[in-house]
Amino acid sequence: MTSQDQAKAAPAGQDLSARFEHEFGSAPDGVWQAPGRVNLIGEHTDYNEGFVLPFAIDRTARVAVAARPDSTVRLLSTYGDQGVVTTTLDSLQPGKAKGWTKYPLGVMWALRERGITVPGLDLLLDSNVPLGAGLSSSHAIECAVVTALNDLTGAGLAAEDMVLATQRAENDFVGAPTGIMDQSASLRGAKGHAVFLDCRDQKATLVPFETDPAGLVLLVIDTKVSHSHADGGYASRRASCELGAEVLGVKALRDVAVADLGEASGLLDGVTFRRVRHVVTENDRVLQTVELLGGTGPAAIGPLLDASHASMRDDFEISCPELDLAVDTSRAHGAIGARMTGGGFGGAAIALTPVDAEQAVRAAVVKAFADAGYRTPDIFTVSPAAGAMRVA
């Protein structure tokens, strides 16, 4: 299913309720949604206690949920043909769940680990967040589920607590060593704003980010190269960052300034230094971007997006030929800035583009991918949207 097909297939809250009743024989207790996210800038800085600037997008995961009086858990999605997956609360174990079900089950496990009494439940998932594109489709599911369970159990968790619960689900249940950026954007996003997040203390500030008044659009170019945070590439980058912090004698790379890089180059091996340099300079780029958005506006941030991509390509080495082609082609045909977004090793690029150049960029990227023998990319626009909420 293409991302456009998913977008068309995503039922509204009432339609999902009706589908739930058809599948499970009774009405749900409610429908909750949480958005995917685009990270405007600040990649692989989150687990280094640094700064990130994501925003929630107008693509969401929705869950219709009904609590059960027993410990049975039944899960179904509107896409695919796997049918109802049935398990029990007591059988939840890290590393055992498969496919998309590990995300809701991981949230249930993490909440139980916090001492929250989670009921058995029936759950129907629908999502129009493109899968494997680096737009955080998995975290959108987790954030929709944690929002639903927070309401249904009366746990009263603040957004910060839900962020940590979903992070634990990712780290300890799913087995992906991710930070807190994706959940924070999904749970704390707001229409027309990006979320400036300090990953050390979870302090979040909303920063105006609206492209329309500036005559711009933000294109997402889904390369169709699927990626996974649970694989070795992501984990090895995180290990390099931890090694760098240890050798430099700091709690986290957040504590290393750009001015410190000269000294660091003499203390670290070449690969570790490049990993460190990316994180340190990326933190600085986030701070510069926030300053520009609060003043000149989005038309001024293009060079920072370009520099971010070069750093991820050359220092962190998490790009791929398809992402590089998407970025380079976008820039050559009118985008004022472009970069890969997300964890890397595939996924999507973003291109900040003048409205009058949008069609030229789209056409050029599609042609460049065809000429290179790559799969046809999905290209669509996104806008900053509201965070997780109940919708029915």
Side-chain angles (χ1 to χ4, degrees):
M1 179 181 290
T2 68
S3 62
Q4 289 96 337
D5 290 338
Q6 283 180 282
K8 293 174 183 176
Q14 294 300 325
D15 290 340
L16 196 61
S17 294
R19 174 73 177 271
F20 180 98
E21 187 166 2
H22 172 76
E23 297 290 350
F24 291 110
S26 60
D29 294 327
V31 177
W32 291 261
Q33 73 176 29
R37 66 96 189 95
V38 158
N39 191 23
L40 187 60
I41 197 164
E43 223 65 77
H44 289 265
T45 50
D46 57 346
Y47 54 81
N48 290 292
E49 299 187 12
F51 305 106
V52 292
L53 191 63
F55 61 89
I57 62 174
D58 45 355
R59 300 290 185 102
T60 62
R62 294 185 176 187
V63 291
V65 182
R68 296 176 56 94
D70 56 22
S71 64
T72 299
V73 178
R74 297 192 296 174
L75 306 172
L76 179 66
S77 73
T78 62
Y79 52 90
D81 56 0
Q82 68 272 48
V84 176
V85 175
T86 302
T87 186
T88 64
L89 293 172
D90 292 338
S91 66
L92 298 181
Q93 293 183 45
K96 298 297 184 182
K98 304 297 183 184
W100 70 270
T101 65
K102 59 181 176 278
Y103 303 116
L105 293 176
V107 170
M108 298 175 72
W109 173 85
L111 292 178
R112 281 163 58 89
E113 289 290 298
R114 293 177 68 100
I116 296 170
T117 300
V118 175
L121 54 81
D122 293 332
L123 180 150
L124 176 63
L125 166 70
D126 180 80
S127 179
N128 63 6
V129 184
L131 305 177
L135 302 182
S136 202
S137 57
S138 61
H139 286 95
I141 296 170
E142 291 168 346
C143 290
V145 173
V146 79
T147 302
L149 290 176
N150 192 40
D151 286 353
L152 290 173
T153 63
L157 297 178
E160 295 89 338
D161 297 319
M162 290 192 284
V163 165
L164 294 177
T166 52
Q167 184 191 23
R168 183 162 190 203
E170 279 281 321
N171 292 175
D172 298 338
F173 191 88
V174 176
T178 56
I180 63 171
M181 176 184 68
D182 298 345
Q183 304 94 321
S184 296
S186 188
L187 290 163
R188 305 172 80 170
K191 184 176 175 61
H193 292 78
V195 180
F196 175 41
L197 179 67
D198 183 333
C199 296
R200 170 158 284 172
D201 61 9
Q202 280 210 64
K203 180 181 179 182
T205 305
L206 294 176
V207 177
F209 178 60
E210 293 187 283
T211 54
D212 288 351
L216 299 168
V217 294
L218 190 72
L219 291 173
V220 173
I221 304 165
D222 178 1
T223 66
K224 299 297 189 68
V225 179
S226 186
H227 73 161
S228 171
H229 280 173
D231 66 14
Y234 188 102
S236 69
R237 297 311 186 276
R238 185 163 185 163
S240 289
C241 293
E242 292 168 352
L243 173 61
E246 180 182 354
V247 172
L248 297 176
V250 294
K251 181 175 183 288
L253 293 183
R254 150 72 169 276
D255 301 309
V256 181
V258 173
D260 298 327
L261 288 173
E263 180 181 359
S265 66
L267 298 173
L268 302 169
D269 67 86
V271 171
T272 305
F273 174 69
R274 291 197 301 275
R275 307 298 188 246
V276 168
R277 182 168 60 186
H278 164 71
V279 173
V280 173
T281 57
E282 187 80 344
N283 274 325
D284 188 60
R285 284 186 286 269
V286 174
L287 298 176
Q288 291 184 58
T289 301
V290 170
E291 183 176 357
L292 288 172
L293 289 177
T296 311
I301 68 172
L304 292 168
L305 302 183
D306 293 341
S308 175
H309 184 77
S311 181
M312 290 184 288
R313 181 192 63 212
D314 301 334
D315 278 353
F316 224 60
E317 296 182 282
I318 55 172
S319 190
C320 66
E322 292 87 348
L323 285 169
D324 292 339
L325 183 61
V327 167
D328 293 344
T329 304
S330 298
R331 290 287 290 117
H333 289 82
I336 65 171
R339 65 185 287 271
M340 56 150 284
T341 187
F345 309 104
I350 55 174
L352 190 60
T353 305
V355 171
D356 58 7
E358 177 185 352
Q359 295 308 316
V361 169
R362 286 176 177 265
V365 171
V366 169
K367 182 178 186 301
F369 270 55
D371 290 346
Y374 298 151
R375 296 178 63 189
T376 302
D378 278 346
I379 305 176
F380 50 92
T381 61
V382 291
S383 300
M389 68 179 77
R390 183 171 183 162
V391 293

